[in-house]
Amino acid sequence: MKHGAYVLSVDPGSIAEELELLPGDLIVSIDGQKITDYLDYKFLATNEHIVMEVLKGNGELFEFEIYNEDLEDLGINFENMLFDSPKSCQNKCIFCFIDQMPKGMRDSLYFKDDDSRLSFLYGNYVTLTNMKIEDIMRLIRYRISPVNISVHTTNPDLRVFMLKNKRANQILDHIQLLANYEIEMNMQIVLCKGINDGEELDRTIRDLAQFMPHAKSVSVVPVGLTKCRNGLYPLVPFEKEDCAAVVRQIKNLQERFLKEHGTRFVYASDEFFINAGMELPEESEYEDFPQIENGVGMIASMEAEFMRALAPDLKPQGTAKTVVATGEISYEFIKKLVNIVKMRYNMNNIEVVGIKNELFGGRVTVSGLLGGSDLIRALQDKQADRVLITESMLKADEDVFLDDYTLSETEKRLNMKIVPVKNDGEAFLKAVLGY
């Protein structure tokens, strides 16, 4: 991958089009300052008067003086949001999922990022341990908010142990600094049985609650354990009773925070409820779904969207035999939605298949971590016209599964059309109906 602020395209009618910027042009600097990422660009370009240096694709260097009284967007779209290399993680977390990855997958999947810029640009969670004070001050200067922080524990010694980084004990100081400048933060706790749960979890959540309202939410998710843990720290899975205890603990904290602060603040992931065999909360209990990308409230949100979309004017489009492929943990939920479709629209051409994850094995049951090989193994004897999958099984910008099977290759092996569907209840309903 080439590094630099290379233009991918320009918006029609924009300032960039007036300047005749073209794909492949390189933005060298703005007001004499080199830009290392999209954040630099947005911060420096938002002025009424700027001087932008551009290296054209033919090697000529141009200097543009831009007057922009209305502060409109310049209209430049870049090839990448980071114009230099992403910062790699220096932690050696005892629960790191990348350390548990099977061999033989694409190289990019083994890269450990802990880059604060990705927190804002893509919603990634960062530990802050790999940041210097000037990096944190840059977040503050640019008013980057919210910042998503992987906390795990606020116990200094325990955090050093869990992250295997001597700088991990400064987490509360860093959060305090961000709060002092009113930077909003979402927090994440990867819960490891017998390590940062129980009283330690209570302590962590109480510590983080002190930073409200700048601390907006905390998610608690169970550690993911794959079959590839040889030589790694001996972590054990949460069993049904353990999951129920975590849910009860968090519900008690929610009641207190709701009474004292008007927000539940801390949320358990859907996985805890499902593995505990407990009923998931109602949509309203997730407030504005601040942690949905962490698997918190995803099922409640999808079900509510699905039920609202059941309009009388919707009708099945054709009679294609359909398989809905899903991970084991969401099988019962997806089956419930499909049964509603079958009864409401008198459809009998749909089958839901819960697929066991052989790629990662262990206790990995979520749909997004299924590989193309898992689909082929589970569906090769099925007779169907099409397969619905969640789009989260695929690489964000490419039709490729985690194990490097392409969408077209998997379709060919199955002799079925594969239809990726957004994680949205209405989109799922329409996909099942054939829209």
Side-chain angles (χ1 to χ4, degrees), residues 39 87-91 114-120 125-140 144 147-150 159 165 167-168 170-171 174-175 177-178:
L39 303 176
K87 297 176 182 178
S88 62
C89 182
Q90 302 303 307
N91 302 325
D114 195 35
D115 197 316
S116 60
R117 299 172 296 178
L118 298 175
S119 172
F120 180 73
Y125 278 75
V126 292
T127 63
L128 303 183
T129 57
N130 298 299
M131 297 179 68
K132 299 175 182 176
I133 189 64
E134 52 263 36
D135 296 322
I136 295 178
M137 293 309 299
R138 179 174 181 262
L139 297 181
I140 293 167
I144 293 175
V147 175
N148 297 324
I149 305 173
S150 290
R159 196 166 193 262
N165 187 323
R167 295 186 298 277
Q170 302 171 26
I171 184 62
H174 290 156
I175 291 174
L177 180 59
L178 292 170

Side-chain angles (χ1 to χ4, degrees), residues 220-281:
V220 181
V221 303
V223 61
L225 302 176
T226 79
K227 64 184 179 182
C228 305
R229 289 199 55 83
N230 289 340
L232 299 178
Y233 188 86
L235 295 172
V236 294
F238 285 91
E239 302 298 345
K240 181 176 182 178
E241 297 78 12
D242 305 315
C243 292
V246 170
V247 169
R248 288 193 295 269
Q249 182 179 6
I250 290 175
K251 280 189 171 184
N252 288 337
L253 288 164
Q254 285 183 326
E255 289 175 7
R256 192 184 90 194
F257 293 138
L258 192 59
K259 182 178 180 180
E260 295 176 359
H261 301 280
T263 175
R264 291 171 178 81
F265 183 59
V266 60
Y267 305 88
S269 70
D270 294 357
E271 195 171 347
F272 274 118
F273 285 92
I274 294 170
N275 288 338
M278 298 173 72
E279 187 174 345
L280 284 150

Side-chain angles (χ1 to χ4, degrees), residues 52-114:
M52 186 166 68
E53 197 174 28
V54 178
L55 181 66
K56 300 292 287 182
N58 61 8
E60 291 186 75
L61 189 65
F62 286 82
E63 187 175 271
F64 296 101
E65 193 166 3
I66 301 170
Y67 293 90
N68 184 12
E69 294 181 358
D70 296 330
L71 298 180
E72 63 180 283
D73 188 276
L74 299 185
I76 304 174
N77 304 303
F78 294 96
E79 292 183 6
N80 298 290
M81 300 294 252
L82 301 184
F83 308 147
D84 59 2
S85 299
K87 297 176 182 178
S88 62
C89 182
Q90 302 303 307
N91 302 325
K92 297 186 183 298
C93 299
I94 61 173
F95 51 82
C96 180
F97 195 80
I98 294 176
D99 288 342
Q100 307 176 64
M101 298 272 275
K103 294 180 180 179
M105 298 197 290
R106 59 178 179 272
D107 290 344
S108 61
L109 292 173
Y110 300 99
F111 177 75
K112 301 180 183 181
D113 76 69
D114 195 35

Side-chain angles (χ1 to χ4, degrees), residues 298-315:
M298 190 173 288
I299 286 179
S301 174
M302 186 170 179
E303 183 170 13
E305 292 160 350
F306 178 90
M307 297 306 292
R308 285 193 290 266
L310 285 170
D313 57 333
L314 284 178
K315 292 186 172 72

Side-chain angles (χ1 to χ4, degrees), residues 12 19 37 55 116 140 167 187 247 319 329 343 357 390 408:
L19 298 176
D37 52 49
L55 181 66
S116 60
I140 293 167
R167 295 186 298 277
M187 323 287 195
V247 169
T319 58
I329 197 163
M343 290 185 289
N357 194 317
T390 171
S408 59

Side-chain angles (χ1 to χ4, degrees), residues 230 295 342 344 427:
N230 289 340
K342 286 181 175 181
R344 188 179 184 97

